[in-house]
Amino acid sequence: MTHGNSVRVLIITASVAALLAGAAWASGGGSGGGMGSTMPSASGPQYNPVEEHQKGVEALKAQQYKVAISHFNRVIDVAPKDSGTWTLMGLAKEGAGDAKGARSAYEKAVRYNGDNITAHQLLGVAEAKAGDTAKTQAELADLQKRDAACAGSCPKNDELKAAIAALQAALDGGAATDTPKASLLFNSPAGGDRAYVEAVALINAGRYEDALQSLHKSELAFGPHPDILTYEGYANRKLHRYDQAEAYYTEALAVDPTHVGATEYYGELKVERGDIAGAKKLLARLDAICTFGCSEQEELRGWIDQAPHSQHGS
């Protein structure tokens, strides 16, 4: 692939239904084969994080908080740095009466994705409830700074305004219990599909910030799906946010180590950052995955061949 036509992969070539149907994780435990055939660490239950995410959301809607926590823990086992799941975990902990646990979950949500405005809002409100107004004021100041930079024109404008209002109310002793639960809990799979299709169209149009907003909506419905994570990595990469892009690619591969799209794009990112040796390792992984060949192999091979000094193994 040449550097100018990398958007090729972003054109939808299959039904959106494949987003869920293509998930490649086992749902049962053990691997069979008799006593002692595998180590316990390799033969325990393997959970589908998309399925567990949806079960957790349904339990949260039904106010079955302990059940929700159990499902979200399974998602986190697979994707430990998924900010959206930590946000939902915080809501579940709050519902179960574990205020300290909720604050810890929101802190992780913010740590793993500083652009998660909902998590900033929930954390700030939780801090106000705990009487730590200094931390709430710090969250408010951060959101106000982001809002000023946005100047009413960025995709997160409405979300920022709502979060700022919630924290100001919490500091004033007002509606400190208000949380954006509706947007977190009532995004259906059909809505997630629509947001996903919209995101791909926005990426093809070069509107990467808007695409990230749509991908976030899709992720609320499906959780850490590797296809969504890969596109989030791609959009951030096009915005030259290379650290964020790498985080999304590595999370996609943690969920599905054989995801060819994430592997190829991560390799392209390595080339862009001058890590040709790292790109070659990812190409070797594609060679192993694509036994009978796949276009992603040749695309990444083209990137490596065009990179300066690639023949010297740098």
Side-chain angles (χ1 to χ4, degrees):
M1 175 168 77
T2 64
H3 290 58
N5 66 4
S6 62
V7 180
R8 184 252 339 141
V9 182
L10 299 172
I11 298 173
I12 297 177
T13 58
S15 165
V16 175
L19 186 66
L20 292 180
W25 308 283
S27 58
S31 59
M35 289 270 291
S37 59
T38 60
M39 291 292 146
S41 61
S43 61
Q46 300 297 309
Y47 297 107
N48 178 335
V50 173
E51 183 178 303
E52 292 297 326
H53 170 91
Q54 292 176 325
K55 288 179 179 179
V57 169
E58 290 304 313
L60 196 49
K61 286 181 186 178
Q63 299 183 0
Q64 298 173 345
Y65 301 116
K66 291 184 178 179
V67 174
I69 289 169
S70 176
H71 288 300
F72 293 140
N73 271 327
R74 290 171 180 171
V75 178
I76 288 166
D77 282 345
V78 179
K81 294 185 178 181
D82 188 69
S83 179
T85 303
W86 280 111
T87 305
L88 292 167
M89 177 69 86
L91 290 177
K93 295 272 189 179
E94 267 195 80
D98 181 4
K100 184 177 179 180
R103 289 167 68 189
S104 177
Y106 297 142
E107 285 171 352
K108 289 184 175 70
V110 168
R111 182 188 314 151
Y112 296 137
N113 182 0
D115 291 328
N116 186 338
I117 304 303
T118 297
H120 280 286
Q121 175 182 338
L122 290 167
L123 176 58
V125 171
E127 299 289 9
K129 289 179 183 178
D132 197 339
T133 56
K135 288 186 177 179
T136 302
Q137 288 168 339
E139 289 293 335
L140 176 59
D142 177 73
L143 292 173
Q144 289 171 328
K145 183 178 179 181
R146 293 169 185 264
D147 185 51
C150 175
S153 62
C154 66
K156 291 180 179 288
N157 178 62
D158 292 342
E159 193 177 1
L160 281 166
K161 298 290 188 191
I164 288 169
L167 294 196
Q168 288 172 331
L171 286 168
D172 292 340
T177 57
D178 287 350
T179 57
K181 289 185 180 179
S183 64
L184 288 170
L185 300 182
F186 295 99
N187 190 16
S188 67
D193 283 343
R194 287 193 297 271
Y196 181 78
V197 171
E198 179 182 66
V200 174
L202 289 166
I203 285 175
N204 286 327
R207 295 170 56 188
Y208 303 115
E209 290 284 11
D210 292 326
L212 285 168
Q213 287 295 98
S214 293
L215 288 167
H216 176 63
K217 293 176 184 176
S218 187
E219 194 172 7
L220 289 177
F222 299 122
H225 193 292
D227 290 354
I228 297 170
L229 293 167
T230 298
Y231 280 123
E232 287 175 316
Y234 182 88
N236 274 287
R237 182 177 135 216
K238 297 301 286 186
L239 290 165
H240 305 291
R241 300 171 185 162
Y242 297 126
D243 288 343
Q244 291 96 319
E246 183 169 22
Y248 280 117
Y249 291 147
T250 55
E251 186 175 351
L253 291 170
V255 173
D256 182 3
T258 64
H259 196 279
V260 293
T263 306
E264 180 204 338
Y265 278 179
Y266 191 15
E268 291 177 8
L269 175 63
K270 294 279 191 184
V271 173
E272 285 186 301
R273 302 186 89 171
D275 182 5
I276 305 304
K280 288 181 176 179
K281 288 180 181 178
L282 288 163
L283 178 60
R285 186 184 298 180
L286 278 176
D287 289 339
I289 294 170
C290 302
T291 307
F292 300 102
C294 62
S295 62
E296 289 80 4
Q297 279 175 290
E298 299 314 310
E299 299 291 347
L300 181 53
R301 200 183 313 278
W303 273 71
I304 292 170
D305 289 345
Q306 293 176 46
H309 313 301
S310 63
Q311 275 72 30
H312 303 293
S314 59

PDB file of all heavy atoms in Angstrom, residues 20-43:
ATOM      1  N   LEU A  20     -20.686  -8.064  14.954  1.00  0.00           N
ATOM      2  CA  LEU A  20     -20.844  -8.962  16.102  1.00  0.00           C
ATOM      3  C   LEU A  20     -20.640 -10.416  15.706  1.00  0.00           C
ATOM      4  O   LEU A  20     -20.072 -11.202  16.459  1.00  0.00           O
ATOM      5  CB  LEU A  20     -22.237  -8.783  16.713  1.00  0.00           C
ATOM      6  CG  LEU A  20     -22.475  -7.436  17.398  1.00  0.00           C
ATOM      7  CD1 LEU A  20     -23.893  -7.386  17.957  1.00  0.00           C
ATOM      8  CD2 LEU A  20     -21.482  -7.197  18.497  1.00  0.00           C
ATOM      9  N   ALA A  21     -21.121 -10.784  14.524  1.00  0.00           N
ATOM     10  CA  ALA A  21     -21.037 -12.185  14.129  1.00  0.00           C
ATOM     11  C   ALA A  21     -19.607 -12.644  13.986  1.00  0.00           C
ATOM     12  O   ALA A  21     -19.301 -13.820  14.157  1.00  0.00           O
ATOM     13  CB  ALA A  21     -21.774 -12.404  12.805  1.00  0.00           C
ATOM     14  N   GLY A  22     -18.685 -11.717  13.713  1.00  0.00           N
ATOM     15  CA  GLY A  22     -17.301 -12.086  13.487  1.00  0.00           C
ATOM     16  C   GLY A  22     -16.467 -12.178  14.721  1.00  0.00           C
ATOM     17  O   GLY A  22     -15.269 -12.424  14.643  1.00  0.00           O
ATOM     18  N   ALA A  23     -17.044 -11.970  15.896  1.00  0.00           N
ATOM     19  CA  ALA A  23     -16.253 -12.038  17.119  1.00  0.00           C
ATOM     20  C   ALA A  23     -15.642 -13.412  17.264  1.00  0.00           C
ATOM     21  O   ALA A  23     -16.281 -14.425  17.027  1.00  0.00           O
ATOM     22  CB  ALA A  23     -17.136 -11.727  18.318  1.00  0.00           C
ATOM     23  N   ALA A  24     -14.364 -13.467  17.666  1.00  0.00           N
ATOM     24  CA  ALA A  24     -13.617 -14.726  17.578  1.00  0.00           C
ATOM     25  C   ALA A  24     -13.254 -15.295  18.927  1.00  0.00           C
ATOM     26  O   ALA A  24     -12.273 -16.002  19.071  1.00  0.00           O
ATOM     27  CB  ALA A  24     -12.343 -14.502  16.766  1.00  0.00           C
ATOM     28  N   TRP A  25     -14.065 -15.027  19.974  1.00  0.00           N
ATOM     29  CA  TRP A  25     -13.688 -15.516  21.289  1.00  0.00           C
ATOM     30  C   TRP A  25     -14.574 -16.685  21.682  1.00  0.00           C
ATOM     31  O   TRP A  25     -15.767 -16.711  21.393  1.00  0.00           O
ATOM     32  CB  TRP A  25     -13.837 -14.395  22.321  1.00  0.00           C
ATOM     33  CG  TRP A  25     -13.141 -13.174  21.897  1.00  0.00           C
ATOM     34  CD1 TRP A  25     -11.797 -12.931  21.939  1.00  0.00           C
ATOM     35  CD2 TRP A  25     -13.729 -12.009  21.320  1.00  0.00           C
ATOM     36  NE1 TRP A  25     -11.519 -11.695  21.432  1.00  0.00           N
ATOM     37  CE2 TRP A  25     -12.671 -11.112  21.052  1.00  0.00           C
ATOM     38  CE3 TRP A  25     -15.036 -11.628  21.009  1.00  0.00           C
ATOM     39  CZ2 TRP A  25     -12.893  -9.861  20.494  1.00  0.00           C
ATOM     40  CZ3 TRP A  25     -15.256 -10.387  20.452  1.00  0.00           C
ATOM     41  CH2 TRP A  25     -14.199  -9.526  20.197  1.00  0.00           C
ATOM     42  N   ALA A  26     -13.994 -17.652  22.384  1.00  0.00           N
ATOM     43  CA  ALA A  26     -14.763 -18.773  22.892  1.00  0.00           C
ATOM     44  C   ALA A  26     -15.574 -18.328  24.090  1.00  0.00           C
ATOM     45  O   ALA A  26     -15.233 -17.386  24.771  1.00  0.00           O
ATOM     46  CB  ALA A  26     -13.821 -19.911  23.296  1.00  0.00           C
ATOM     47  N   SER A  27     -16.680 -19.031  24.353  1.00  0.00           N
ATOM     48  CA  SER A  27     -17.520 -18.652  25.485  1.00  0.00           C
ATOM     49  C   SER A  27     -17.541 -19.711  26.571  1.00  0.00           C
ATOM     50  O   SER A  27     -18.134 -19.506  27.612  1.00  0.00           O
ATOM     51  CB  SER A  27     -18.955 -18.399  25.001  1.00  0.00           C
ATOM     52  OG  SER A  27     -19.470 -19.544  24.371  1.00  0.00           O
ATOM     53  N   GLY A  28     -16.920 -20.854  26.333  1.00  0.00           N
ATOM     54  CA  GLY A  28     -16.933 -21.903  27.335  1.00  0.00           C
ATOM     55  C   GLY A  28     -15.613 -22.029  28.049  1.00  0.00           C
ATOM     56  O   GLY A  28     -14.688 -21.279  27.825  1.00  0.00           O
ATOM     57  N   GLY A  29     -15.516 -23.000  28.955  1.00  0.00           N
ATOM     58  CA  GLY A  29     -14.277 -23.197  29.697  1.00  0.00           C
ATOM     59  C   GLY A  29     -13.583 -24.476  29.267  1.00  0.00           C
ATOM     60  O   GLY A  29     -14.194 -25.406  28.771  1.00  0.00           O
ATOM     61  N   GLY A  30     -12.265 -24.523  29.502  1.00  0.00           N
ATOM     62  CA  GLY A  30     -11.508 -25.740  29.242  1.00  0.00           C
ATOM     63  C   GLY A  30     -11.241 -25.962  27.772  1.00  0.00           C
ATOM     64  O   GLY A  30     -11.862 -25.367  26.909  1.00  0.00           O
ATOM     65  N   SER A  31     -10.294 -26.854  27.496  1.00  0.00           N
ATOM     66  CA  SER A  31      -9.960 -27.127  26.100  1.00  0.00           C
ATOM     67  C   SER A  31     -10.043 -28.607  25.769  1.00  0.00           C
ATOM     68  O   SER A  31      -9.747 -29.005  24.667  1.00  0.00           O
ATOM     69  CB  SER A  31      -8.539 -26.626  25.814  1.00  0.00           C
ATOM     70  OG  SER A  31      -7.611 -27.258  26.672  1.00  0.00           O
ATOM     71  N   GLY A  32     -10.483 -29.421  26.714  1.00  0.00           N
ATOM     72  CA  GLY A  32     -10.611 -30.838  26.418  1.00  0.00           C
ATOM     73  C   GLY A  32      -9.264 -31.521  26.272  1.00  0.00           C
ATOM     74  O   GLY A  32      -8.226 -30.976  26.593  1.00  0.00           O
ATOM     75  N   GLY A  33      -9.284 -32.742  25.790  1.00  0.00           N
ATOM     76  CA  GLY A  33      -8.050 -33.438  25.475  1.00  0.00           C
ATOM     77  C   GLY A  33      -7.497 -34.286  26.591  1.00  0.00           C
ATOM     78  O   GLY A  33      -6.431 -34.855  26.467  1.00  0.00           O
ATOM     79  N   GLY A  34      -8.214 -34.388  27.732  1.00  0.00           N
ATOM     80  CA  GLY A  34      -7.743 -35.283  28.770  1.00  0.00           C
ATOM     81  C   GLY A  34      -6.992 -34.579  29.866  1.00  0.00           C
ATOM     82  O   GLY A  34      -6.605 -33.432  29.765  1.00  0.00           O
ATOM     83  N   MET A  35      -6.746 -35.299  30.948  1.00  0.00           N
ATOM     84  CA  MET A  35      -6.066 -34.766  32.124  1.00  0.00           C
ATOM     85  C   MET A  35      -4.656 -34.316  31.778  1.00  0.00           C
ATOM     86  O   MET A  35      -3.910 -35.020  31.117  1.00  0.00           O
ATOM     87  CB  MET A  35      -5.989 -35.840  33.198  1.00  0.00           C
ATOM     88  CG  MET A  35      -7.330 -36.159  33.838  1.00  0.00           C
ATOM     89  SD  MET A  35      -7.639 -35.121  35.254  1.00  0.00           S
ATOM     90  CE  MET A  35      -6.429 -35.741  36.407  1.00  0.00           C
ATOM     91  N   GLY A  36      -4.296 -33.112  32.230  1.00  0.00           N
ATOM     92  CA  GLY A  36      -2.916 -32.654  32.106  1.00  0.00           C
ATOM     93  C   GLY A  36      -2.511 -32.201  30.721  1.00  0.00           C
ATOM     94  O   GLY A  36      -1.343 -31.956  30.473  1.00  0.00           O
ATOM     95  N   SER A  37      -3.509 -32.067  29.796  1.00  0.00           N
ATOM     96  CA  SER A  37      -3.132 -31.689  28.433  1.00  0.00           C
ATOM     97  C   SER A  37      -2.767 -30.217  28.320  1.00  0.00           C
ATOM     98  O   SER A  37      -2.037 -29.836  27.422  1.00  0.00           O
ATOM     99  CB  SER A  37      -4.278 -32.003  27.470  1.00  0.00           C
ATOM    100  OG  SER A  37      -5.456 -31.299  27.852  1.00  0.00           O
ATOM    101  N   THR A  38      -3.298 -29.392  29.228  1.00  0.00           N
ATOM    102  CA  THR A  38      -2.952 -27.971  29.223  1.00  0.00           C
ATOM    103  C   THR A  38      -2.800 -27.487  30.652  1.00  0.00           C
ATOM    104  O   THR A  38      -3.294 -28.103  31.595  1.00  0.00           O
ATOM    105  CB  THR A  38      -4.039 -27.125  28.537  1.00  0.00           C
ATOM    106  OG1 THR A  38      -5.276 -27.295  29.245  1.00  0.00           O
ATOM    107  CG2 THR A  38      -4.231 -27.504  27.089  1.00  0.00           C
ATOM    108  N   MET A  39      -2.116 -26.368  30.816  1.00  0.00           N
ATOM    109  CA  MET A  39      -1.991 -25.748  32.119  1.00  0.00           C
ATOM    110  C   MET A  39      -3.297 -25.047  32.493  1.00  0.00           C
ATOM    111  O   MET A  39      -4.024 -24.577  31.620  1.00  0.00           O
ATOM    112  CB  MET A  39      -0.854 -24.727  32.108  1.00  0.00           C
ATOM    113  CG  MET A  39       0.513 -25.362  31.989  1.00  0.00           C
ATOM    114  SD  MET A  39       0.917 -26.287  33.477  1.00  0.00           S
ATOM    115  CE  MET A  39       1.861 -27.621  32.767  1.00  0.00           C
ATOM    116  N   PRO A  40      -3.611 -24.942  33.774  1.00  0.00           N
ATOM    117  CA  PRO A  40      -4.857 -24.273  34.179  1.00  0.00           C
ATOM    118  C   PRO A  40      -4.960 -22.858  33.650  1.00  0.00           C
ATOM    119  O   PRO A  40      -6.053 -22.396  33.298  1.00  0.00           O
ATOM    120  CB  PRO A  40      -4.777 -24.290  35.710  1.00  0.00           C
ATOM    121  CG  PRO A  40      -3.922 -25.459  36.026  1.00  0.00           C
ATOM    122  CD  PRO A  40      -2.901 -25.527  34.925  1.00  0.00           C
ATOM    123  N   SER A  41      -3.833 -22.127  33.577  1.00  0.00           N
ATOM    124  CA  SER A  41      -3.885 -20.744  33.113  1.00  0.00           C
ATOM    125  C   SER A  41      -4.316 -20.643  31.657  1.00  0.00           C
ATOM    126  O   SER A  41      -4.815 -19.608  31.217  1.00  0.00           O
ATOM    127  CB  SER A  41      -2.514 -20.079  33.280  1.00  0.00           C
ATOM    128  OG  SER A  41      -1.545 -20.758  32.499  1.00  0.00           O
ATOM    129  N   ALA A  42      -4.132 -21.726  30.902  1.00  0.00           N
ATOM    130  CA  ALA A  42      -4.477 -21.709  29.483  1.00  0.00           C
ATOM    131  C   ALA A  42      -5.827 -22.341  29.203  1.00  0.00           C
ATOM    132  O   ALA A  42      -6.348 -22.241  28.096  1.00  0.00           O
ATOM    133  CB  ALA A  42      -3.403 -22.435  28.677  1.00  0.00           C
ATOM    134  N   SER A  43      -6.423 -23.017  30.196  1.00  0.00           N
ATOM    135  CA  SER A  43      -7.645 -23.765  29.931  1.00  0.00           C
ATOM    136  C   SER A  43      -8.847 -23.238  30.689  1.00  0.00           C
ATOM    137  O   SER A  43      -9.895 -23.851  30.685  1.00  0.00           O
ATOM    138  CB  SER A  43      -7.435 -25.243  30.307  1.00  0.00           C
ATOM    139  OG  SER A  43      -7.136 -25.362  31.692  1.00  0.00           O
TER     140      SER A  43
END
